[in-house]
Amino acid sequence: NDAPALASASVGVAMGGGADVALETAGLALLRPDPLLTPAALDLSRRTVATIRQNLVWAFVYNVVGLPLAAFGLLSPALAGGAMALSSASVVLNALRLSRWRPDR
């Protein structure tokens, strides 16, 4: 009976030992039955969204700058390919920063 309440809540939190429908309906599912993990999960989600936004900005900047330069012949194809590879590498490296995240205890 938790699923309707979790669906209508602003932030629904379900724990790993709960019913499958509650886990599917909740906005946040904790894999361990420890409600004290909720602040850490919310912090990680905020950092993840911030990283996604940073990656979108960097990819957008690379494309806004690189595409016109390449289209007008001001950028050699090899340099344009290198810039796109650098763009992909910077996005991946920025996302990998999240793997170093540890909860505050």
Side-chain angles (χ1 to χ4, degrees), residues 37-95:
L37 294 173
T38 303
L42 292 173
D43 181 48
L44 181 59
S45 69
R46 279 189 216 99
R47 291 174 188 261
T48 301
V49 169
T51 301
I52 290 169
R53 288 185 178 140
Q54 290 168 4
N55 287 341
L56 285 172
V57 167
W58 280 112
F60 184 74
V61 167
Y62 272 111
N63 286 316
V64 165
V65 171
L67 284 175
L69 290 175
F72 292 119
L74 302 173
L75 195 61
S76 71
L79 196 56
M84 289 311 292
L86 183 63
S87 168
S88 297
S90 67
V91 165
V92 169
L93 290 173
N94 192 29

Side-chain angles (χ1 to χ4, degrees), residues 44 93-102:
L44 181 59
L93 290 173
N94 192 29
L96 283 175
R97 288 183 315 119
L98 287 171
S99 66
R100 294 184 311 199
W101 178 86
R102 297 291 176 254

